[in-house]
Amino acid sequence: MFPMKAKILAECKAKGAQITPLREQVLDIVLQLEGVIKAYTVLAQMQRVSSSVVAPPTAYRALDFWADLGVLHKIPAVNGYILCNHVKHECAGHCEHEHAAHGSSFILVCAECGAVDEQGLTAEWSALQAAVRQSGFVLQEEHVVLTGVCGKCAAK
């Protein structure tokens, strides 16, 4: 088992989450993917190993389960999910404050290669939230998605 997967499973079990074989299968799939994770990509991989037909809602429910636990971010702007940076980070607990605003991030998506970079810009985010509150607007989603071209693609 990959260290990242073991960490995720341990954190989820500590929260009382029920990890079914199907949910674990979806976790295995998303941990192998990079960039924006599309439900139909996950579904196709699930169907490759299944002896029966896997319906699309099955993949969506499992992805939403991992999003609810903070392992993934559901990003409607790109019609997909991304693996949360805090899941990939190995800090042995010394930087929990960095993840206090989990769910509040700037997500950069390369329009050419699909690479994703999640930026936890705490000061900037706090200023934006304060301005939004002052206007009386209530956020339903706390991700800012910016699309453009990553450094690798721009260098080509």
Side-chain angles (χ1 to χ4, degrees):
M1 183 184 311
F2 297 105
M4 188 183 340
K5 179 182 174 183
K7 175 186 166 196
I8 293 168
L9 292 176
E11 287 177 6
C12 292
K13 287 178 183 176
K15 293 177 184 177
Q18 183 180 354
I19 311 299
T20 64
L22 183 108
R23 290 172 176 167
E24 189 169 348
Q25 177 189 21
V26 169
L27 178 62
D28 289 337
I29 293 168
V30 301
L31 290 177
Q32 294 173 26
L33 299 174
E34 292 187 18
V36 176
I37 299 163
K38 301 287 189 172
Y40 277 89
T41 302
V42 172
L43 178 65
Q45 290 193 25
M46 292 172 74
Q47 289 176 334
R48 278 189 211 126
V49 297
S50 178
S51 58
S52 60
V53 175
V54 180
T58 304
Y60 279 104
R61 280 192 298 269
L63 288 165
D64 286 341
F65 169 82
W66 292 114
D68 289 344
L69 288 172
V71 173
L72 299 175
H73 294 301
K74 186 174 185 175
I75 312 296
V78 294
N79 195 27
Y81 301 77
I82 64 165
L83 189 62
C84 180
N85 266 352
H86 95 273
V87 170
K88 298 181 240 179
H89 186 72
E90 293 293 336
C91 67
H94 71 270
C95 62
E96 282 299 313
H97 65 281
E98 291 179 21
H99 306 304
H102 179 253
S104 302
S105 58
F106 291 84
I107 298 168
L108 309 174
V109 180
C110 180
E112 290 189 22
C113 72
V116 175
D117 184 20
E118 181 182 358
Q119 299 287 319
L121 304 173
T122 309
E124 295 88 344
W125 186 253
S126 295
L128 178 61
Q129 286 178 314
V132 167
R133 276 193 302 277
Q134 285 178 348
S135 75
F137 192 79
V138 178
L139 292 175
Q140 292 180 334
E141 188 174 321
E142 294 195 7
H143 296 291
V144 175
V145 179
L146 302 172
T147 58
V149 180
C150 71
K152 288 180 183 178
C153 291
K156 291 180 184 175

